[in-house]
Structure formats: structure tokens, C-alpha cells
Amino acid sequence: MAGLHRTNGGGRVDRTKRLSFTFDGKAYEGFAGDKLASALLANGVHLVGRSYKYHRPRGILSAGAEEPNALVTVDRGRGRTAPNLRATQVELYDGLVAESQNRWPSLAYDFGAVNSLFSPLLAAGFYYKTFMGPRLLGSNWAWHKIYEPLIRRAAGLGKAPSLPDPDRYANRFAHCDVLVIGAGPAGLAAALAAAEAGARVILCDEQAELGGSLLSEWSVEIDGVPASSWVDEAVRTLAASSRVTLLPRTQAFGYFAQNFVALAERLTDHLGNPDPAAPRERLWQVRAKEVVLATGAIERPIVFPDNDRPGIMLADAARTYVNRYGVRPGLRAVVIAACDSGYAAALDLHRAGTAVAMVIDPRANGDSGLAGSVRAAGIEVQIGATVTATRGSQRVSAVQIGRAGTEGRASTGEWVPCDHVVMAGGWTPSVHLFSQSRGKLAWSDDAQAFLPSAIAPGQAQRSAGACRGVFGVAAALDDGFAAGRAAVGREPLGRTFKVTHDITDFRGIAGSHGAGARGSKAFVDFQHDVTVRDLKLAAQEGFRAIEHVKRYTTTGMATDQGKTSNINALAIVADHLGKPIPEVGLTTFRQPYTPVTFGTIAGASRGDLFDPVRRTPCDAWAQAQGAMFEDVGAWKRAHYFPQAGEDMHTAVARECRTVRSAVGMFDASTLGKIEVVGPDAAEFLERLYINSFQKLGVGRCRYGVLLNEAGFIIDDGVIGRIAADRFHVTTTTGGAARVLHMMEDYAQTEFPDLKVWLTSTTEQWAVIAVQGPRARDVLAPLVDGVDIGATDFPHMSVKAGRICGVDARIFRVSFTGELGFEINVPADFGADVWEAVWREVQKHGGCAYGTESMHVLRAEKGFIIVGQETDGTVTPDDVGLGWATGKGKRDFVGMRSLSRPDMVRSGRKQLVGLLTADPKRVLEEGSQVVEGLRPPAGTPALGHVTSAYWSEALGRSIALALVADGRTRIGTRLNVPMPDGDVAVDVVTPVFLDPKGERLNG
Amino acid sequence: MLLITCPYCCTARPESEFRYSGEAHIARPLEPATVSDDDWAAFLYMRTNPKGLHAERWRHIHGCGRFFNALRNTVTDQILKTYPAGTPRPGLGAPAEGGR
């Protein structure tokens, strides 16, 4: 497979290991060590994609993470298609299946290319100008129905997989003394220096091989050995240290406060046959004492007319393909060199057997120290020349050379045939992570680049090498070594590395070069198809700030975030506005540096592990009975227990009937429970709840109402006094954590004088409610040492005793209006006691009931549910709980607020019952309550329905509602407007059943 | 994720162990019944919301459970000092160092 495009030897590919792969269904071969991009180039494939807007043929521009054009979808099987991968980063493996994107039916014959004909329509701001049309058919009708679907189909990138992701993702937290990001010369030297000092070092690099730019060098020698060998030795040294963690294939993509850095490690995507149990990627969250940023620099394209044809490539990429992968991207090249890397590329290509037709240097007085060597190799060098046009439909075939003239115009000259154009526009330091860390950047005239300036407070970091404008192998090594020493608090050793064949001029040029003929396009942002003309148009139309230009033209907003384009765009806008670059500003660098999969971010938090699930001790029984469940907070609660053939409505009706006529049992284990203990426990509760607790006798219970300081109900629950200094407090299921937090707050910060201790016991107790006229009969044979008779154990009392031989707290309480008990037993015995109670319940014709029946039963009694009848704006009086307020209390949380003017005004919404004129009609919860019939739009509602059910006991529908001045409206008729017409309702007191409580006290 | 030093545990822990609890040094009046409507409304609702140093309450809810106070710069998100609940807002001494 030597082929026309493989060099005869050299590079870091293993020519003994052939790998086969397909691209768009066609089979090719490459070598182990290849990237998909290098393997395609080795097979002479340059056309790899179609551009985003104009569907222009595009080739491989770069050799790294900055690639804007060569985006591919890699198919690893069902659910495993990964779109928008950069072919320059995809490691080749045997059997790799890759597809190009954004083309139909094929890359070579792409229908979407007709977009090019309409390109005048697609200029900057075309969305805003074209599609925000008249509102004839409603707001943006045309946009939603016509333009957006069309554009989304025609423009765009790869398709997201539609199947669930079958892969696993891992997550790891790590701490280290020094995190070195980037393993090029600066990073390797920094890691060596820090490791030598005994520090715990993590060195990460996005590539499979550590070494960065050194892997692309051919002739450079470091300390007497070739760069490539020096890298191997450095990596061996680091790997041998137990205190160094090397993370290849690991992209640092986010830099957060206090040296917290997120890394994405690719674990299996490079393998043809990965262990299916192995995680695909791993998210590292690293907290580093010091960070060394050695993120290097990215070469800029040169902006000339039609600079996007396949075969036109960055100089550094050309050097990488030739030197590292042994691939000749072309057979006859023209090099446009605005800095040394272009000249170096000319020499490398020439040595590898590519005919270099010409080197042109657009700088008027540009000359390179390497120009002599290039000329000595017999290559023509033209200074002050530029490219004014290119030819070639699916691959560049010729470039036209012009002389730079006055006012940016260039004279046009000869056409030079070529199949490869190499451009070296200069280098942009990669300050992305530095900027993400909130460091300040400053423009350097000297480097013609933005460089790190002030480090953000709280970040301990330093930049080293090209990312801070220190270019060249020797300087980067020295700078990195000093940074590594400094990161561990050591003085620089003054160590210098001896480097031969180094290049030092990386500044280049920025902006637009050579005005093109009509119809040509000089691309700035390749991935979003933004041209010089677009940027100038934005400036002409009044956009001044670069952030606005960015949004208007979408330059720098593609998945590559403008890695290759931002500085050119900035220079063009600055030039057009006649301002220096720093005055135009710089766009914000955001995470992630390169796209990160959702899988990596989510890690194990998906499916069953997405959210913790809380299950009660009786849960397994309910599941075995075929209960339907509902989510209440993190809890799974049995919603209802359907029998054969029952829907929810019939099941709930049966459950309610059974409770009212015989007995039902209900799993109340999810209730929040807090043990409040201490000599001041009663005083503490007295200060928190609206009720009185000082005088509550031991063995008695009280319905407690908890307000926030603003006077609004936030929780309720039964509170039992177990001993003089011990209370069993229950809260709502959802409010348990919130109430404990609030209690702790007051105990610690407002009432530190009180001796009181708070313990959550929610999960220590299983709670079984037994409710109904036969409840006492059910419990009688099971309890031991407790008199549960009506006289000795009245409603709202609590006793310690035994049930089924287990220590229990038995409450006589009722949330149904029936005779009722709630048995608290240690959670471990919950399931057994439940089964024992269930056997007794069955003997009495009882049933188990779920939360839906519980809701209906309590609504029949007018018992509120916090969060349903209340919404954070409701006071005790609003819902008729004023009676619960302790008499003569001087203070409790929220008390003072209850006398604020807004709380005592008339017109507040009050809890009432609603009975529909049609007893079969069940209202919808949340529907509005109004006075008149068919109110015109804009009529304020009097209130809303908070609860509405079919009541089996009453044989009709019932509802609770909050209605302005509701209590004075009792006996009047109101309306609930619904889409099918007004529903007439009569306002009644909110207690529908047994208002005297005879059943409850039975 | 911020690192926060709990003044009771005397160690820096990740933000996820903590819960934010609003502005600090807003004491509940000892005799609320004697407070005017306006003053009570101010106690309930008025907060300083400064650009810069903010004294605020945090709770080490997944650690020791204690409430404490912190001085945080709302511009940089830096927590410059933490101190026990009930102690006065401290001065910062020397100005905070930038960066390192």
C-alpha cells in the first residue's frame, strides 16, 4: 500500500500493521498510528465534507482539534453513531466505518450545492432579514412551518443518534499538586520538572501519543537526539514515576473556579473491538494545587478568494501529515508562507518528494531565515505576492498569483497548476482554558496576539510555551521547565535545552488578503461559511462590538468555536472600522474546548441511577399486589391497588367504600419524622409552630401547622409528646428535609439558648395506617400491653407498646375521618408487621388503599394538603386553621407577619367547598372560579379549584377551592368556566362528611 | 465547584457538601410584636444584594450540619473568609491577593 501518497519511510505509523476501513461505503487501507484524516489523504481522498450553508466541497484543513471541515460520523453499531467527529482526531482501527455529513445523495454530487446559487440570500443576518416576515398567519408562521424545517434539513451537521446510548461512562475525581494540560514541548518539560521535585503530577493531552508538535518535527534535535526520540524518553521517565499520572486521549475542556478542571478521557473509541463492559469515556474532575497550561497554538488560514477548496491546508498540518504519518497530501504544492512554518513545510514536502512549485510570502518585506534553504532546494520564492484566485471543483487544481498592490488590490498574474496549497498565516496562542479560568487577556503588538495577562483570583496557574506567545521548540522547552519548577515552588534551574533546526518566526499576518473577483468567496470561518464579505456587511450595517458581529454573522459559533477563524475575523472587522484590534474586543471563550458527549457529562447518572429512588419497607408487598405507583419527591408511593379489570376510577371508588364501611390499611412510611428531644423541646416547638406545646400532655398529639417567617403555611403534621422532653414530629412527605433544615436553622442561630436536639427518623420508622370502623378490631389481636379502647386511647393520643412482639409507637390519628391508628414500628420489622396487619384486615373484609384514595378521603373531610390547598401565599386563617393557633402566644415563627396589613385585609382567598350543580361533573384542579357567566377575557378570577374528586361516600363530585372572601360566599352560586361551557357550582363549607366528627371519635 | 472552608470542621470541602442560606447578620427581632410593619417588612424582604463583598450564610449540610457565615465577593465568586454563626463580620486585614 505504499501508494502515490505514502512516503517511503519514516513517521510514527506502523507500516507492518495494515488496517482496513470504509469511508462513505468505500473500502480503504491505512496503517496503525494513522488518523482517519491521514489515512484518507494517503488514499488521495481530499473531498471529505460539504460546507454548512453553501454545501461547498471541503477538504482537510488541519491535523488536530481545530479542524472545521472534516467532520464525519463514525458508526460503531446500533445506537453508537457519533456525529461531528473531527477526522483529524479519529484514530484509525481495523473495521472503522465513517461517513461524511451534510450531503445528499453523495459527497461528489450534492444536491444542496444549489444553495451556492442563492448565496446572496444567505449573507450575514439572512435569518433576521428573510424569515421574520409579516405576521399574516400568526407569529412567525412562515418561519416555523416552512423556513426552519427546510433550513434544518439543508444546512447543518451530522445527525444525532436516535437510539439510546448503549455505552457506559465513568467518572473520577482526582487531586494533584500539578496538573499539566498539553504534552507538547512545554508541557512535557513542565511535567518533568515537577515530577523531578517529587510532586504528584497529572499530565493530560488530547492526542493518543504524548509529544504534541514534537511528533511532527523531522529534523529538530533536542539534547543531541531527534525530537521524536526525546519525546519517547521523556514519556518513559514520566511513566516510570508512581507519582505521575499520564492521561493521553484526554481533552481538558473546562477550567472552573479554584483550579477545578474537567477532563474528558476517551477510553474505547479507538479500539475496533472494545470490551463491551469497559466504559467508553471517563470524566475527570481534577482539583489541582497548581495548573500549568501548555496548550500550544493554532495556525491561522490565510484569507484569499476561494481559499476553501479541498487540497488547501494549513502548513503545520502538511508538515504533520508528511513527517508524522508519512503521507504526502499532494504531488505538486504551492506554499503561501507568512511565517516560518510555511517555509519549513516547503522544505519538508520537498524532502518527502512533493514538487513544491512556489513559495509565496504575502508580507511586503517578509523574508524568513529559512528562505535561503528553500531557494537552495531549487524552490522559487516570491515576496510580496498573494493568491488572487483558485480553481478546481472538487480539488484545487491551480492558483493565480498576484502582486500585492495599493489599497488592498492585487494585480492578477500567472496561474500555477497544483493539487495542494499550503498556507501559513501565523499562529494564534490557545488561550481558551486560560480565558475560561477568568484570566484577563491582553493584546501583544509584539506577538500580534492576545496573550494571558492577569490570572483570576483564586486560580493558581501559569501558562508556558506557545499558549503564552513563547514560540519555538527550544524556548517552549525552557519555558515549560521553568513553569514546572515554579509550580512546585522551586527556583528556575536555568536549565536550557539544546535544540537544532528550530524555527522562531510564528507571527504571520491576520485579516484579508487579495480582493477576489465577483462571485468568489474568501472564507474566514469555514465551518459556518462566513466570508470576508459577510463580516464587512455586518460592519457596514452598524455592528461595532465583535460580540454583536459574531452573533449577526455566526462567525466563531460553530462546533469548532472559531479556533482557526477568530483572529482573522477580528482583524477584518478592525480593519474595516479603522480601529486597532484590541479596541474591537475579543469574543468570550466558553466550555467545552471541543465537543463533549452527553454520556461523559451524565456518567452513571442515567436510567435507574439518574435520580435516587426511595422505597418504603412495605414496597415489595405493594409491588407483589400489583399496585400502581406514583412519584412523591424521591419516593415511590402506592397510588392505588387495582383488582382484575379495574381502572383507577373503579379501584379508588372500591378502596374508599371499603375504608368507610369496613377498614383499610395504608402505607404512611414516607411521612417525614423528626425526633425533637431536650429539656427545651416543648418551648422550641412552641416557638416554631403556631400551636401550643407546653401544655400538651405526655401521650397526647396535636395537629401542628408550621409557617415561614412571612406568615405562610409551609408544612403540617401530627406531633405527639412521647415524654416531657421528647416529641415525635411528623411532617409532609415532601417537606421532611426542608423542615429539619429550618428547625436546625432556628435551633442553631436564632434560639441557641434552647437545649434541643433534632434527629431525622423518617427512615427509622415504618408507618402503617389502619383506618375505618373496624380498625380497632384489626389491631386488637396484634397489640400487646396497650389498651386501645375508646376511653383509654382517645383520638389524638399516642402510646408506646408492642405489636406482633415489636416495640411500636401507636398513634390514634385519622386523615380519613374514620376511627384510625397509625402504627410506627422499626423499619426492619415494617414488612412483617404489614403482613400481619394485612391478614387481620382481610378477616374484616378490608383492603389496602393508595394515595389517591387517601386524597379523596381527606378531601371529604376538608383536610388540606400542604402544596395543594396551599401555595406559599396562604395563611392559617385562609384555610380555616385559625383555631389551631395557640391562645395567648407572644411569638412563633410567622406570627408577626399575620398582622401585617395585607394579611388582615378583606378579599383574601379562603378555603371553601364547591358542589357542582351537576353532581356527576368532576371539576378540573386548577380551573378558575368566577362570578358571572361567560366572563369576558381579562376578568380576574375569584380563585381556583385546589382539589376535585368523585366522592363515593357522597355519591357525587366534590371540590375544594380558594376563593376571595370565600366564607362570606357560602350559599351563593359561582361559575367555573371551561372550554365546553360554564360549570355552575355552589359554595359550601369545606367539610363534606361527618362535620361533627362522630365517626372519627368512634 | 467552589471549595468552602467550614469554620467548624476547619477544612476546605467541595461546594456540594454545603447549602446556601441567604444574607448573614439579619437577626430576628427579639420581640417581633413590638416591631413596626415597615421594619418587619424590611426584616422579611429587604436584602443588600451588593456588587462585591457579601456576608452570607451557608450550612455544612452534608458534613457537620452547622450554619456559618462567609464573606464572598459576588463579582469573582471568591469566598474570602468563613466564620462561625453569631460572630461579627470580620475585617479582611490585608487586601486579598490577586491570583496567587
Side-chain angles (χ1 to χ4, degrees):
Chain A
M1 206 206 72
L4 212 50
H5 294 284
R6 279 287 178 188
T7 59
N8 293 329
R12 296 178 74 93
V13 290
D14 182 349
R15 291 163 198 254
T16 65
K17 286 195 190 133
R18 296 182 170 206
L19 307 175
S20 52
F21 67 102
T22 67
F23 179 66
D24 282 348
K26 194 171 170 198
Y28 299 98
E29 271 195 352
F31 291 133
D34 261 327
K35 296 291 188 324
L36 176 58
S38 63
L40 286 170
L41 291 171
N43 286 280
V45 178
H46 274 256
L47 173 63
V48 291
R50 288 276 174 170
S51 76
Y52 181 73
K53 236 160 54 174
Y54 303 121
H55 288 245
R56 288 172 62 114
R58 288 286 165 80
I60 294 159
L61 179 76
S62 75
E66 67 272 32
E67 176 61 36
N69 291 338
L71 302 186
V72 297
T73 297
V74 172
D75 186 352
R76 293 179 299 119
R78 276 179 69 78
R80 290 190 160 97
T81 51
N84 301 342
L85 297 181
R86 294 150 298 280
T88 50
Q89 290 183 293
V90 173
E91 291 176 57
L92 200 66
Y93 56 80
D94 202 45
L96 177 95
V97 178
E99 298 276 336
S100 61
Q101 303 180 162
N102 202 28
R103 83 291 189 262
W104 183 86
S106 76
L107 256 187
Y109 305 99
D110 175 33
F111 184 74
V114 296
N115 277 9
S116 278
L117 303 178
F118 301 118
S119 62
L121 277 181
L122 297 177
F126 80 102
Y127 281 84
Y128 307 102
K129 291 168 187 163
T130 314
F131 303 124
M132 299 304 161
R135 300 167 58 130
L136 292 177
L137 290 162
S139 175
N140 295 329
W141 176 87
W143 169 253
H144 289 299
K145 297 286 180 207
I146 300 175
Y147 295 124
E148 190 182 15
L150 260 178
I151 288 170
R152 288 221 183 276
R153 214 174 316 139
L157 303 164
K159 288 194 182 66
S162 54
L163 295 168
D165 185 347
D167 283 314
R168 245 166 37 76
Y169 298 83
N171 188 0
R172 194 177 286 180
F173 289 87
H175 297 262
C176 63
D177 295 320
V178 185
L179 168 66
V180 181
I181 300 170
L188 280 175
L192 286 169
E196 262 177 29
R200 283 181 309 151
V201 177
I202 295 176
L203 171 63
C204 70
D205 191 279
E206 157 272 312
Q207 299 214 35
E209 280 192 282
L210 305 181
S213 67
L214 296 177
L215 303 174
S216 303
E217 293 293 348
W218 183 267
S219 42
V220 166
E221 289 190 352
I222 303 169
D223 290 346
V225 297
S228 192
S229 312
W230 185 88
V231 167
D232 295 340
E233 181 56 31
V235 171
R236 260 196 301 278
T237 304
L238 290 168
S241 166
S242 62
R243 297 176 69 75
V244 176
T245 305
L246 298 179
L247 295 177
R249 299 190 177 93
T250 303
Q251 178 71 61
F253 66 88
Y255 195 142
F256 306 89
Q258 290 173 294
N259 270 16
F260 194 62
V261 184
L263 321 175
E265 182 183 14
R266 305 186 303 278
L267 296 166
T268 59
D269 270 8
H270 61 288
L271 301 172
N273 248 328
D275 176 354
R280 178 185 173 210
E281 290 173 0
R282 178 181 289 127
L283 175 69
W284 289 77
Q285 296 173 78
V286 181
R287 184 76 73 170
K289 282 188 189 151
E290 294 277 339
V291 172
V292 176
L293 294 171
T295 49
I298 292 171
E299 196 165 24
R300 287 190 297 276
I302 293 179
V303 183
F304 55 84
D306 296 329
N307 57 343
D308 67 328
R309 298 192 195 281
I312 303 178
M313 178 183 290
L314 295 170
D316 179 59
R319 297 187 70 209
T320 299
Y321 289 120
V322 166
N323 294 341
R324 178 171 171 187
Y325 298 106
V327 171
R328 272 188 294 266
L331 300 180
R332 183 177 161 84
V334 169
V335 176
I336 316 168
C339 68
D340 272 1
S341 52
Y343 289 87
L347 290 170
D348 286 335
L349 290 175
H350 175 74
R351 177 188 45 72
T354 296
V356 180
M358 189 183 290
V359 172
I360 58 177
D361 190 330
R363 298 171 295 184
N365 51 357
D367 202 353
S368 165
L370 296 176
S373 310
V374 171
R375 288 198 178 96
I379 301 167
E380 181 187 351
V381 178
Q382 287 200 21
I383 306 292
T386 188
V387 171
T388 51
T390 68
R391 277 185 193 146
S393 65
Q394 297 189 355
R395 171 92 183 253
V396 65
S397 61
V399 298
Q400 189 181 31
I401 310 295
R403 304 294 305 178
T406 52
E407 295 172 1
R409 311 299 290 184
S411 64
T412 52
E414 58 175 324
W415 282 93
V416 180
C418 60
D419 64 353
H420 190 203
V421 175
V422 171
M423 48 188 174
W427 290 71
T428 305
S430 291
V431 293
H432 307 68
L433 289 171
F434 175 82
S435 181
Q436 281 180 25
S437 80
R438 300 208 183 179
K440 293 267 182 295
L441 297 167
W443 176 256
S444 160
D445 276 330
D446 199 33
Q448 286 291 299
F450 285 98
L451 298 180
S453 151
I455 293 165
Q459 308 284 31
Q461 62 170 221
R462 57 208 72 238
S463 295
C467 70
R468 73 176 192 106
V470 175
F471 285 106
V473 174
L477 285 166
D478 293 349
D479 198 42
F481 198 82
R485 297 273 303 172
V488 291
R490 305 289 174 91
E491 295 298 314
L493 274 182
R495 171 164 183 188
T496 54
F497 293 82
K498 292 189 182 62
V499 177
T500 66
H501 298 90
D502 206 359
I503 57 176
T504 52
D505 175 16
F506 289 83
R507 274 177 37 153
I509 54 174
S512 169
H513 295 275
R518 198 177 153 75
S520 69
K521 287 186 171 61
F523 284 92
V524 180
D525 182 325
F526 290 89
Q527 198 173 107
H528 260 175
D529 272 356
V530 180
T531 64
V532 174
R533 207 165 287 141
D534 293 326
L535 292 166
K536 289 187 174 170
L537 184 63
Q540 272 164 24
E541 293 186 0
F543 291 89
R544 292 290 177 270
I546 193 68
E547 290 281 6
H548 294 157
V549 172
K550 170 179 167 178
R551 279 155 186 77
Y552 193 58
T553 62
T554 75
T555 188
M557 289 175 70
T559 66
D560 67 344
Q561 293 189 59
K563 289 183 178 64
T564 55
S565 64
N566 280 342
I567 293 297
N568 278 333
L570 198 53
I572 290 164
V573 173
D575 183 49
H576 196 81
L577 297 175
K579 286 182 178 175
I581 285 178
E583 280 184 31
V584 179
L586 184 63
T587 56
T588 310
F589 295 90
R590 297 181 204 282
Q591 318 102 3
Y593 177 75
T594 46
V596 178
T597 60
F598 282 117
T600 297
I601 304 283
S605 302
R606 47 195 286 218
D608 289 344
L609 299 180
F610 175 67
D611 211 14
V613 171
R614 302 176 83 182
R615 294 185 183 278
T616 74
C618 315
D619 184 81
W621 184 90
Q623 288 195 49
Q625 294 287 315
M628 305 301 287
F629 285 82
E630 69 166 339
D631 292 337
V632 180
W635 289 102
K636 296 283 178 198
R637 298 197 74 178
H639 194 195
Y640 56 99
F641 292 84
Q643 293 183 350
E646 282 186 336
D647 61 7
M648 174 166 153
H649 179 78
T650 47
V652 169
R654 174 185 47 76
E655 289 173 12
C656 289
R657 231 170 20 240
T658 310
V659 172
R660 295 263 182 245
S661 64
V663 65
M665 62 188 295
F666 172 74
D667 182 3
S669 303
T670 64
L671 278 184
K673 293 169 279 289
I674 301 167
E675 194 89 339
V676 179
V677 181
D680 295 321
E683 172 64 16
F684 178 71
L685 292 176
E686 185 99 9
R687 293 191 196 178
L688 257 82
Y689 282 78
I690 72 173
N691 322 71
S692 292
F693 287 95
Q694 292 283 23
K695 290 180 185 148
L696 183 70
V698 172
R700 297 293 297 166
C701 300
R702 187 149 281 166
Y703 169 64
V705 178
L706 184 67
L707 311 185
N708 59 16
E709 206 63 272
F712 300 120
I713 296 175
I714 55 166
D715 204 78
D716 67 351
V718 169
I719 297 172
R721 190 162 201 172
I722 305 299
D725 60 352
R726 179 175 295 264
F727 289 82
H728 180 115
V729 174
T730 65
T731 73
T732 58
T733 293
R738 190 167 59 235
V739 171
L740 180 63
H741 179 72
M742 173 178 169
M743 285 184 173
E744 280 288 350
D745 193 353
Y746 280 91
Q748 290 182 32
T749 67
E750 295 296 351
F751 310 137
D753 52 312
L754 299 182
K755 289 190 172 64
V756 61
W757 290 271
L758 309 164
T759 308
S760 166
T761 53
T762 301
E763 297 195 339
Q764 272 58 50
W765 296 110
V767 184
I768 303 163
V770 182
Q771 304 272 314
R774 312 294 291 274
R776 191 176 284 120
D777 306 328
V778 167
L779 291 190
L782 303 176
V783 296
D784 177 8
V786 203
D787 182 352
I788 57 170
T791 327
D792 202 58
F793 198 27
H795 180 55
M796 294 304 268
S797 47
V798 56
K799 287 187 177 191
R802 294 169 76 79
I803 182 162
C804 308
V806 176
D807 285 329
R809 283 180 184 171
I810 305 173
F811 287 74
R812 179 154 173 214
V813 290
S814 174
F815 199 40
T816 58
E818 299 297 327
L819 164 66
F821 300 89
E822 287 184 3
I823 306 156
N824 288 248
V825 292
D828 287 350
F829 297 103
D832 289 341
V833 174
W834 176 277
E835 296 266 7
V837 175
W838 171 239
R839 282 190 290 273
E840 290 301 320
V841 162
Q842 282 176 300
K843 289 179 194 168
H844 296 277
C847 71
Y849 65 98
T851 51
E852 187 63 23
S853 294
M854 178 267 281
H855 277 111
V856 176
L857 295 167
R858 64 90 206 177
E860 288 171 346
K861 285 290 292 177
F863 295 149
I864 66 159
I865 287 185
V866 171
Q868 188 159 344
E869 273 65 43
T870 72
D871 59 2
T873 68
V874 171
T875 68
D877 183 63
D878 292 343
V879 286
L881 290 175
W883 58 266
T885 311
K887 300 292 170 287
K889 285 183 73 166
R890 286 180 54 233
D891 187 24
F892 54 80
V893 171
M895 183 181 184
R896 173 65 186 83
S897 294
L898 294 177
S899 59
R900 292 186 61 227
D902 192 59
M903 302 297 223
V904 294
R905 68 174 166 84
S906 64
R908 286 192 66 83
K909 290 176 185 170
Q910 295 169 331
L911 186 72
V912 292
L914 299 181
L915 291 176
T916 47
D918 169 9
K920 299 263 184 270
R921 173 81 183 234
V922 179
L923 292 170
E924 275 188 38
E925 290 174 0
S927 51
Q928 305 289 301
V929 181
V930 299
E931 210 150 29
L933 291 167
R934 285 185 293 280
T939 307
L942 292 174
H944 67 280
V945 176
T946 58
S947 293
Y949 308 96
W950 173 258
S951 166
E952 189 70 4
L954 289 126
R956 58 156 301 133
S957 77
I958 58 168
L960 297 172
L962 284 168
V963 174
D965 289 326
R967 287 198 282 270
T968 68
R969 294 178 190 273
I970 287 173
T972 67
R973 177 161 279 202
L974 295 175
N975 281 295
V976 175
M978 296 299 290
D980 60 348
D982 289 333
V983 180
V985 294
D986 291 315
V987 184
V988 298
T989 58
V991 184
F992 300 96
L993 186 84
D994 188 24
K996 290 191 182 142
E998 285 158 355
R999 303 173 69 92
L1000 184 115
N1001 288 306
Chain B
M1 186 158 26
L2 297 176
L3 281 180
I4 299 173
T5 300
C6 171
Y8 297 101
C9 299
C10 301
T11 175
R13 310 295 302 167
E15 187 184 339
S16 52
E17 289 187 14
F18 296 84
R19 176 173 164 174
Y20 182 72
S21 291
E23 187 168 357
H25 305 298
I26 296 172
R28 186 174 190 269
L30 290 174
E31 295 289 342
T34 64
V35 177
S36 72
D37 282 339
D38 286 349
D39 287 351
W40 186 256
F43 159 71
L44 286 181
Y45 297 118
M46 302 309 285
R47 298 295 181 263
T48 57
N49 193 24
K51 180 179 181 180
L53 269 194
H54 186 231
E56 59 196 23
R57 303 181 338 123
W58 287 79
R59 183 180 177 210
H60 195 185
I61 189 165
H62 300 299
C64 65
R66 302 287 295 273
F67 283 84
F68 61 89
N69 296 333
L71 284 179
R72 183 174 61 96
N73 185 323
T74 58
V75 178
T76 63
D77 218 14
Q78 243 194 324
I79 290 180
L80 299 159
K81 205 157 214 167
T82 55
Y83 53 102
T87 56
R89 174 176 170 148
L92 282 178
E97 285 179 54
R100 314 181 34 72

